[in-house]
């Protein structure tokens, strides 16, 4: 139902009374009513300025003759939730965001929607809601934080997580750590590297759901306010054209999003979120498809945490549309409609790369594959994911003894306590969607390893997930997870684990007969879960290999 239904007939008089109670006059009620799903709050640095973006969007909507009505959704700052039980709620927040936006925008039927997310789970949660509502919709995010400067070098949040390891092993002083802490996050916006939030904001552009510039224009640039006004105006044009999210988010659009992801070297979390968004569009997207694209598309950008560039550099180099221009030239971009009412290929053709080091050509690519790789093997029958472009060259093939931990905290204690030796393969299990529950991000162990220089010698595998700020031989989303009987639950201290990223494999080098013996007595660990929300989530969440979506028929 659209708001039109509330505007006509005597039966709708009570509804119109309530719209008038909102302060609307008849002149407004007769115009298109545009829902503004904003996620402004004072607890997420990426969202603390969204009130300004929301105001600009409303101005744009009014300029184009619409009437904006705002409602909000929750948001989690993964950085603040990191390495404690708060992180268990981060991935589950995606479903609440999707559900709550669906509920608000169905209870009050709108003609069209503007979604205003910024951080990790809010972007996919709102895209999921957009697919469910399937009324003309556009996305305008809050934009990235500027990079900080420390000792003459640009830094971001990932550096501070790594400096903790440096401080612990005596290579960084307390004063320097404090100076870096003050410098790393200088403005509002989603943290400044190619971490999860910025990956998802860039992919929203690639999917065709946002205007060019959405992924990269910094949060504090006036250009972001102008983009928000333009988005507010554009939604009225989408309404007129009756172009809906499911017309835009087709299989080809998801191909484009994966291709851009591979070129950018984005966060491993995209392999959860894109399948979950696709699922809402009735499209199946598998990990295997990610890997197929990874074999076609080369990583042409190397931003933090893999490299020294930040999103502000990508913006100055031409942004996501310039990356798509390179993809187009190499036949790695598909024709797909966009909210710009121009096909994606046309947008890409009109763009230019302005800095050939930030956005390289295929000939001069940073990595001769896409940024992400999907691994399979006895340890990951349903797949596992690694940010291959951020693995030290010496670690792409590695065998070593398993060092087994039943949760993230114990692994961090062991790393900081000097118990991890060069060559070890750290195994962190019972951190999957069901086992966690909530599939926490393991930034503290990966960053501590990197900060101590151990990322050049040690691998880390988990049924949990990583931050976009994680780097190193960090293999996550191991599926099936330990809690559902996955082989990762059967690994014993000292077992040999073999990782071969170029050949896409991860295996436990234990004889089949020994594995059968262990299986016969295996009882997955059952954790006490205090939160009633997480208990419910645990019952209905699916595998990471399926995007950790909630089972449809529960
Ligand atoms: C806190 C971070 C860096 O934003 C993280 O949540 C990520 O996944 O990238
Ligand atoms: Mg995150």
């Amino acid at each position: 139902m659209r708001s039109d239904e509330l505007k006509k007939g005597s039966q709708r008089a009570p509804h119109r009374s309530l719209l008038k109670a909102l302060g609307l006059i008849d002149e407004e009620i007769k115009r298109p009513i545009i829902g503004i799903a904003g996620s402004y709050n004072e607890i997420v640095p990426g969202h603390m300025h969204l009130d300004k973006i929301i105001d600009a969007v409303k101005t744009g909507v009014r300029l184009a003759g619409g009437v904006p009505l705002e409602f909000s959704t929750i948001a989690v700052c993964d950085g603040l939730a990191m390495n404690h039980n708060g992180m268990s709620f981060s991935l589950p927040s995606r479903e609440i965001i999707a559900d709550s936006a669906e509920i608000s925008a169905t209870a009050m039927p709108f003609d069209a929607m503007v979604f205003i997310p910024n951080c990790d789970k809010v972007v996919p949660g709102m895209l999921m809601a957009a697919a469910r509502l399937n009324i003309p919709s556009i996305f305008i995010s809050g934009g990235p934080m500027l990079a900080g400067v420390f000792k003459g070098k640009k830094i971001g949040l990932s550096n501070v997580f790594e400096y903790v390891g440096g401080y612990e092993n005596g290579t960084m002083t307390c004063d320097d750590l404090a100076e870096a802490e003050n410098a790393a996050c200088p403005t509002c916006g989603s943290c400044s590297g190619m971490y999860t939030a910025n990956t998802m904001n860039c992919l929203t552009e690639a999917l065709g759901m946002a205007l060019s510039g959405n992924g990269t224009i910094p949060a504090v640039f006036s250009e972001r306010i102008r983009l928000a006004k333009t988005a507010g105006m554009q939604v009225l044009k989408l309404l007129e054209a009756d172009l809906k999210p499911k017309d835009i988010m087709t299989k080809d659009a998801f191909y484009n999003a994966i291709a851009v992801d591979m070129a950018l070297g984005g966060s491993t979390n995209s392999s959860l979120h894109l399948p979950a968004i696709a699922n809402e569009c009735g499209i199946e997207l598998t990990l295997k498809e990610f890997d197929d694209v990874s074999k076609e598309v080369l990583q042409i950008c190397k931003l933090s945490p893999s490299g020294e560039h930040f999103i502000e550099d990508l913006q100055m180099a031409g942004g996501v549309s310039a990356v798509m221009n390179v993809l187009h030239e190499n036949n790695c971009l598909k024709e797909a409609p966009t909210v710009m009412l121009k096909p994606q290929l046309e947008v890409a053709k009109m763009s230019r790369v302005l800095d050939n080091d930030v956005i390289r050509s295929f000939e001069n690519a940073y990595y001769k594959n896409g940024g992400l790789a999907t691994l399979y093997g006895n340890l990951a029958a349903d797949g596992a994911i690694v940010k291959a472009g951020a693995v030290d060259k010496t670690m792409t093939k590695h065998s070593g003894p398993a060092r087994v931990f039943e949760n993230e905290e114990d692994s961090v204690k062991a790393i900081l306590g000097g118990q991890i030796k060069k060559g070890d393969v750290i195994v962190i299990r019972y951190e999957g969607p069901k086992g966690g529950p909530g599939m926490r991000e393991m930034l503290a162990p990966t960053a501590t390893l990197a900060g101590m220089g151990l990322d050049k010698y040690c691998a880390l595998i988990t049924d949990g997930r990583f931050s976009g700020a994680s780097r190193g031989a960090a293999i996550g989303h191991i599926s099936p997870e330990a809690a559902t009987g996955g082989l990762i639950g059967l690994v014993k201290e000292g077992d040999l684990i073999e990782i071969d990223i170029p050949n896409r494999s991860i295996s436990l080098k234990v004889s089949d007969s020994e594995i059968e013996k262990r299986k016969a007595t295996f009882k997955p660990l059952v954790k006490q879960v205090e939160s009633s929300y997480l208990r419910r989530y645990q019952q209905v969440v699916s595998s990471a290999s399926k995007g950790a979506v909630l089972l449809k028929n529960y």
Side-chain angles (χ1 to χ4, degrees), residues 480-513:
E481 59 174 300
T484 60
L487 194 68
I488 187 172
L490 299 176
V491 178
K492 286 193 174 160
E493 190 77 5
D495 283 352
L496 193 67
I497 291 178
E498 193 177 85
I499 296 160
D500 183 344
I501 297 173
N503 290 306
R504 306 292 197 248
S505 77
I506 176 161
S507 0
L508 178 67
K509 294 302 210 191
V510 167
S511 70
D512 288 349
S513 58

Side-chain angles (χ1 to χ4, degrees), residues 87-106:
M87 182 51 82
S88 310
F89 291 83
S90 168
L91 185 59
S93 77
R94 185 186 73 186
E95 318 307 314
I96 299 281
I97 292 157
D99 291 351
S100 65
E102 179 192 5
I103 289 169
S104 290
T106 309

Side-chain angles (χ1 to χ4, degrees), residues 78-79 82 120 157 195-196 269 441 466-469:
D78 277 16
M82 199 68 69
D120 299 17
L157 185 70
Y195 312 145
T196 307
N269 286 302
E441 278 183 1
F466 297 114
S467 159

